[in-house]
Amino acid sequence: MNREIRLAVRPSGEPELRDFELATTDVPQIGEGQVLVRNTWMSVDPYMRGRMDDVESYIPPFQIGQPLDGSAVGEVVDSRATEIPVGATVVHFLGWREYAVVDAAQATVVDPYLAPEEAYLGVLGTTGLTAYVSLTEVAPVRPGDTVFVSSAAGAVGSVAGQLARKLGAARVIGSAGGPFKAKRLVTDFGYDVGIDYRAGSVAGQLAQAAPDGIDVYLDNVGGDHLVAAIDALKVGGRIAMVGAISGYNATEPVPGPANLFSLAHKSATLRGMLVSHYLDRFPEWIGKAAGWLADGSLRTESTVAEGIERAPQAFLDVLGGGNVGKMLVRL
């Protein structure tokens, strides 16, 4: 039998467990050019909140009564595709279920001996690639820069701080929720300063941490973090807009920052970053990151929920900041 998580109703505002349902089905049959994958790990990501709303976006919304989807890794247990044998480990986009029928063209064979298979959903997956491209191309870090990262203890942020250091940043500042996470930024993830945004004004704490301003901001949050970063930005500063989790549960349009025009007189840039536009950079990133993982100079962490039935709670925890590093479900 196969178990899968379906969208029961579209949430209004903050999602609840009752918006999901756990369904049991037969293991699906495969056709020519397809593989059957027994999923072993699945990714849980904040962007999935937007897909629960029936609105047009860069990726189709989830459908009521149908299984959710997202990145997953697993073992091929049946194959009618000559290029992918039984026993191969593959990454694909049909998570939120225990077994998935995947077209061979949509499955990527990965090397489980290079790194643990779950790493391909995190540091060696789109999470790590997002941090890498953001800080090398979208808002490139230059030697001597002061860098600010929001949601810095999350999947992207926990990698970004370490990358900024490798790229020559002189000072790396991160924001996270709560004193425990703020401390972990410094002790484990390469940051010089960890700001606890729950402890006071983000703008005030950022001004204290970077009295001369910042050169680069990697934005995962939006809202007051983006406002504070724009105010703190130096002339020629650069912002990579990756996410805006502070507004994901909003029921009304979220207003933009009132200080946006200050980017003009600072000759600064704010550039959006959608990782699907940079998938061709995967070989470059994996080649570097695998070496850093092997020599211990790149540290990663995951928060793991056990079993498909825990996936909805894991999703709610991500939206509420209940994870350090990448949120994963072990199936």
Side-chain angles (χ1 to χ4, degrees):
M1 302 299 292
N2 174 53
R3 295 187 299 166
E4 60 190 25
I5 300 294
R6 297 175 179 175
L7 182 64
V9 296
R10 297 197 184 280
S12 176
E14 186 173 345
E16 301 178 20
L17 288 177
R18 64 185 181 183
D19 298 328
F20 305 87
E21 63 180 357
L22 176 64
T24 301
T25 68
D26 292 330
V27 174
Q29 302 298 308
I30 62 173
E32 196 64 34
Q34 294 181 321
V35 295
L36 178 65
V37 182
R38 180 180 62 81
N39 289 334
T40 50
W41 295 85
M42 56 167 273
S43 175
V44 180
D45 301 288
Y47 82 89
M48 294 175 174
R49 174 61 187 88
R51 299 188 65 195
M52 298 180 75
D53 297 327
D54 191 13
V55 296
E56 185 176 351
S57 185
Y58 65 91
I59 189 170
F62 297 129
Q63 297 301 308
I64 294 175
Q66 297 298 313
L68 285 71
D69 58 49
S71 297
V73 65
E75 178 187 1
V76 174
V77 294
D78 194 8
S79 174
R80 295 185 64 183
T82 56
E83 65 271 36
I84 303 181
V86 170
T89 300
V90 297
V91 174
H92 59 90
F93 205 67
L94 291 177
W96 294 80
R97 67 205 78 190
E98 293 175 322
Y99 287 87
V101 172
V102 185
D103 292 339
Q106 303 302 317
T108 301
V109 177
V110 297
D111 182 358
Y113 298 102
L114 183 66
E117 60 182 5
E118 63 270 24
Y120 292 97
L121 301 179
V123 64
L124 297 185
T126 55
T127 293
L129 184 64
T130 296
Y132 178 67
V133 174
S134 293
L135 297 181
T136 58
E137 182 171 331
V138 178
V141 173
R142 298 163 185 160
D145 277 350
T146 297
V147 177
F148 177 43
V149 180
S150 58
S151 191
V156 173
S158 60
V159 175
Q162 298 171 81
L163 279 180
R165 181 74 65 209
K166 288 180 177 292
L167 293 168
R171 189 165 178 79
V172 187
I173 303 161
S175 172
F180 171 75
K181 285 187 177 182
K183 182 179 180 180
R184 292 290 307 277
L185 297 183
V186 177
T187 59
D188 297 318
F189 299 131
Y191 289 88
D192 294 293
V193 179
I195 290 174
D196 175 7
Y197 67 81
R198 296 174 182 167
S201 161
V202 173
Q205 293 184 79
L206 182 58
Q208 184 176 3
D212 297 324
I214 62 174
D215 300 282
V216 172
Y217 173 47
L218 194 160
D219 186 19
N220 291 303
V221 173
D224 60 345
H225 282 72
L226 179 56
V227 171
I230 291 174
D231 281 342
L233 210 60
K234 297 179 184 179
V235 172
R238 303 164 300 283
I239 298 175
M241 180 177 283
V242 174
I245 194 171
S246 65
Y248 284 175
N249 290 327
T251 57
E252 300 291 338
V254 178
N259 60 347
L260 192 62
F261 187 70
S262 66
L263 296 173
H265 61 76
K266 292 183 178 185
S267 296
T269 60
L270 187 157
R271 183 177 173 187
M273 195 286 175
L274 189 62
V275 70
S276 59
H277 294 164
Y278 300 94
L279 299 182
D280 61 327
R281 302 283 295 278
F282 256 132
E284 173 189 340
W285 166 239
I286 290 177
K288 293 181 178 182
W292 292 332
L293 288 173
D295 67 21
S297 65
L298 179 59
R299 179 188 174 101
T300 66
E301 186 160 335
S302 299
T303 300
V304 178
E306 298 285 351
I308 188 77
E309 64 278 4
R310 291 285 300 166
Q313 184 61 57
F315 176 69
L316 301 187
D317 290 345
V318 162
L319 294 181
N323 60 298
V324 173
K326 181 70 177 181
M327 176 65 85
L328 297 170
V329 177
R330 179 162 38 204
L331 304 179

